[in-house]
Amino acid sequence: MSKILTTSFLLTIILSCSHRELRGTGDLGVVIERASGSIKIVNHTTKKIVGDVKGLGDLSHASAVFDRSQKYVYIFGRDGGLTKVDILRSKISKRVIQAGNSIGGAISQNGKFIAVSNYEPGGVNIFDSKDLKLIKTIPALAIEGQAASKVIGLVDAPNNLFVFSLYNAGEIWIFNTSKMEVIKKFKGIGLLPYDGLITPDGRYYVAGLFGEDGVVVLDLWDIEKGPRKVLTKYGKKDKRTPVYKMPHLEGWASDGESLYIPGIGDNQLHIVNKKTWKKNRSINVKSQVVFAISKPDRRSVWINFAYPKNEFIQIFDTQTKKIVKELRPGKGVLHMEFTPRGEEVWLSVRDENKIQIYDSYTYELLEEIVINNPSGIFFTNRSGKIGL
Amino acid sequence: MCVGLVAPATVFSSDKNVDKQALIHLVKNDCGSCHGLLLNGGLGPSLLKKDLQHKSDKYLFNIIKFGRMKRAMPSWKEQLSDQEIGWIIKYLKSNNE
């Protein structure tokens, strides 16, 4: 009898130790700690830090994408580091150093491949998303005999494509993961494309130009037509103020009809009609825009700014077409991320070493989380969105 | 860019009126957005000590103050005094971090 009791007792202990509370990942995310090579895993329901992963190298311009299960996040580091992190276990699953200097990456539509865009050596590397095995290297060699171009504006696109731009060479390339080859190179698209986005429906790839006024639009439904330059009069090329930080183009800067494009060297946000590709209007804002992010309900666009006004954000109402609010979270507002349905927005305030969480309707500051030198904030719901 | 401008010698020799911590923060975080937080380059070139040694102080002064035409390097003359630019150059050329 005592043996039975002892065995039962031991089994109970073993089973209780092996039982872990099951949890989902739909309300999780990561925050980059840019100065310490680490990330914090956060829960945007509880507004708490739930994990911490170190050893990710130089994260000073890091970005992230999630796999289809939302269990893994791929972190793209500045130093060429590519790290697959298990966000439920808060641990590195796999890490490789794949280049000398990198700027970002994407995950293919089917989730099988990771692409990383590199400054040095200029080009794109393609990896198996399961084990980060290198599958293909694409040197951004536009002109024979010249150095490879820095690659920017890499996005995933429908039909398992990757699209990206060559900064130095002024080209747009399309890579097909089914064929594992570059299927299209568009040369002479414009001077110094500095970033690219894909619209949320995956139809248009838009590259912003730094070396001249204009943006370049490629209709992925009609690739053979090639890219075309639009908005060539939208900027103030000859009267630009110094650009202390490049604006960033992301597909979320879009609602149903319009695309919101930061001005270059001017304190304006340009609203562009996505059907005609003509400018509807320009909105005067406080300073040079870095990010313009459309709230999920599309009722407003939240805007942050470059140095020296990076302690402010402004909120543009898409119905009244006016700036309706200005907030001053603190020095170094680097990034903004809405909760999946948009009721709250998280801001990284680098110099305050904080994440601030605001009610996106009342603008009330709800919570602050101490995180060292925070930059990018990425929530798992991005896994279901083209281009994010 | 005024290629021929010669910066007064004092901008490289005097630390008066220079908030060093603020400038280090600026260099790492704001210059760093293009040159990297660790100053090892990005869209802009490396600002590491070893990569600047062969570049003259005058050359660097002109680039920081006036920027580079048709490139992404902005002019900092509205944000930084000559003294501050001079200190930044000294800092970068002696920085062992």
Side-chain angles (χ1 to χ4, degrees):
Chain A
M1 182 68 172
S2 66
K3 275 189 185 172
I4 294 171
L5 284 172
T6 305
T7 306
S8 298
F9 176 72
L10 286 173
L11 272 174
T12 304
I13 298 292
I14 291 166
L15 285 171
S16 64
C17 286
S18 65
H19 170 72
R20 285 180 191 168
E21 183 186 341
L22 296 176
R23 67 142 301 135
T25 53
D27 58 353
L28 297 186
V30 299
V31 178
I32 306 291
E33 291 182 293
R34 62 193 296 275
S36 54
S38 55
I39 60 172
K40 289 286 192 278
I41 298 165
V42 294
N43 179 313
H44 56 73
T45 296
T46 61
K47 301 183 183 50
K48 291 202 182 317
I49 296 169
V50 297
D52 179 21
V53 181
K54 295 180 169 44
L56 303 179
D58 180 0
L59 297 184
S60 54
H61 192 286
S63 61
V65 297
F66 291 91
D67 81 317
R68 293 157 71 95
S69 73
Q70 300 182 359
K71 184 184 175 199
Y72 295 101
V73 64
Y74 299 87
I75 305 290
F76 307 101
R78 166 79 87 172
D79 57 1
L82 167 62
T83 315
K84 182 178 181 180
V85 175
D86 180 328
I87 63 172
L88 281 176
R89 292 195 169 92
S90 295
K91 66 178 227 182
I92 293 173
S93 292
K94 185 76 181 173
R95 176 170 163 76
V96 296
I97 299 292
Q98 52 84 46
N101 200 304
S102 302
I103 189 61
I107 186 165
S108 60
Q109 184 182 29
N110 58 11
K112 289 184 178 175
F113 305 106
I114 297 291
V116 189
S117 56
N118 293 319
Y119 282 164
E120 186 59 47
V124 173
N125 284 333
I126 309 288
F127 297 86
D128 184 313
S129 66
K130 276 198 199 135
D131 56 13
L132 299 190
K133 182 179 156 196
L134 177 64
I135 296 173
K136 183 95 177 187
T137 290
I138 310 158
L141 292 167
I143 303 171
E144 205 167 310
Q146 286 198 7
S149 192
K150 293 178 182 177
V151 173
I152 54 89
L154 171 72
V155 301
D156 57 282
N159 210 12
N160 291 306
L161 303 177
F162 288 119
V163 187
F164 51 91
S165 298
L166 276 56
Y167 174 73
N168 310 84
E171 299 190 3
I172 293 174
W173 290 11
I174 302 178
F175 182 87
N176 185 316
T177 62
S178 303
K179 298 179 180 177
M180 271 301 152
E181 63 184 32
V182 175
I183 59 169
K184 216 71 186 173
K185 294 182 183 180
F186 297 106
K187 297 181 177 291
I189 60 125
L191 297 176
L192 300 180
Y194 65 88
D195 201 0
L197 65 84
I198 188 162
T199 50
D201 58 9
R203 177 166 180 178
Y204 296 104
Y205 178 75
V206 179
L209 298 176
F210 186 84
E212 58 182 287
D213 286 339
V215 299
V216 179
V217 179
L218 176 62
D219 184 350
L220 295 173
W221 287 13
D222 199 351
I223 289 175
E224 294 309 316
K225 260 193 183 162
R228 59 187 179 117
K229 206 178 294 180
V230 298
L231 306 174
T232 52
K233 292 184 176 23
Y234 90 110
K236 295 181 178 177
K237 183 171 187 308
D238 296 329
K239 296 176 189 170
R240 284 183 186 174
T241 53
V243 178
Y244 297 114
K245 182 167 183 170
M246 282 294 188
H248 287 47
L249 298 181
E250 291 287 353
W252 61 52
S254 168
D255 57 27
E257 299 174 348
S258 305
L259 195 60
Y260 299 91
I261 295 186
I264 304 281
D266 63 31
N267 296 352
Q268 293 197 313
L269 184 67
H270 305 290
I271 305 174
V272 179
N273 184 305
K274 282 196 301 191
K275 284 192 180 152
T276 64
W277 293 103
K278 290 187 184 332
K279 188 174 71 170
N280 282 344
R281 62 175 70 201
S282 297
I283 306 297
N284 292 325
V285 293
K286 196 170 187 77
S287 189
Q288 293 186 23
V289 178
V290 176
F291 284 110
I293 302 182
S294 182
K295 214 169 106 171
D297 66 5
R298 298 178 178 173
R299 181 59 197 268
S300 59
V301 178
W302 290 51
I303 304 158
N304 73 330
F305 302 105
Y307 172 90
K309 301 278 189 191
N310 59 16
E311 72 240 57
F312 296 96
I313 60 170
Q314 287 185 312
I315 295 129
F316 171 77
D317 185 297
T318 57
Q319 187 176 38
T320 63
K321 311 288 189 225
K322 289 183 161 74
I323 296 291
V324 293
K325 186 73 179 175
E326 181 176 294
L327 298 173
R328 194 172 188 175
K331 276 279 180 198
V333 180
L334 295 189
H335 203 226
M336 302 173 282
E337 180 86 338
F338 286 97
T339 48
R341 295 193 182 194
E343 76 283 1
E344 291 169 2
V345 62
W346 288 41
L347 311 183
S348 56
V349 191
R350 179 194 68 199
D351 295 3
E352 306 289 330
N353 294 303
K354 282 180 196 170
I355 295 290
Q356 292 185 350
I357 302 168
Y358 288 83
D359 182 306
S360 68
Y361 294 97
T362 67
Y363 312 120
E364 180 192 350
L365 176 60
L366 301 172
E367 188 83 40
E368 290 185 326
I369 305 175
V370 174
I371 292 185
N372 289 331
N373 245 252
S375 58
I377 309 169
F378 305 88
F379 291 154
T380 54
N381 67 301
R382 285 166 170 255
S383 78
K385 297 188 179 184
I386 297 171
L388 296 183
Chain B
M1 186 178 80
C2 296
V3 176
L5 180 76
V6 176
T10 51
V11 302
F12 300 110
S13 61
S14 171
D15 286 352
K16 277 186 191 173
N17 304 318
V18 168
D19 183 339
K20 295 172 189 173
Q21 289 308 310
L23 289 183
I24 291 173
H25 181 87
L26 177 94
V27 166
K28 288 185 176 178
N29 289 288
D30 298 299
C31 305
S33 66
C34 285
H35 294 280
L37 179 68
L38 303 181
L39 305 177
N40 51 355
L43 199 65
S46 163
L47 300 181
L48 295 173
K49 176 181 167 182
K50 66 179 176 65
D51 297 312
L52 294 180
Q53 293 309 311
H54 62 285
K55 297 182 178 169
S56 72
D57 290 357
K58 180 177 92 173
Y59 171 80
L60 293 173
F61 180 90
N62 284 341
I63 285 188
I64 295 172
K65 182 161 183 171
F66 299 106
R68 299 190 77 173
M69 281 178 66
K70 299 186 180 180
R71 303 273 197 100
M73 177 64 187
S75 159
W76 285 85
K77 66 181 181 192
E78 302 299 326
Q79 305 297 328
L80 297 170
S81 67
D82 287 358
Q83 218 75 40
E84 288 169 325
I85 295 174
W87 188 89
I88 286 173
I89 294 167
K90 258 187 11 181
Y91 166 74
L92 290 173
K93 283 192 163 185
S94 62
N95 181 29
N96 287 314
E97 287 183 41

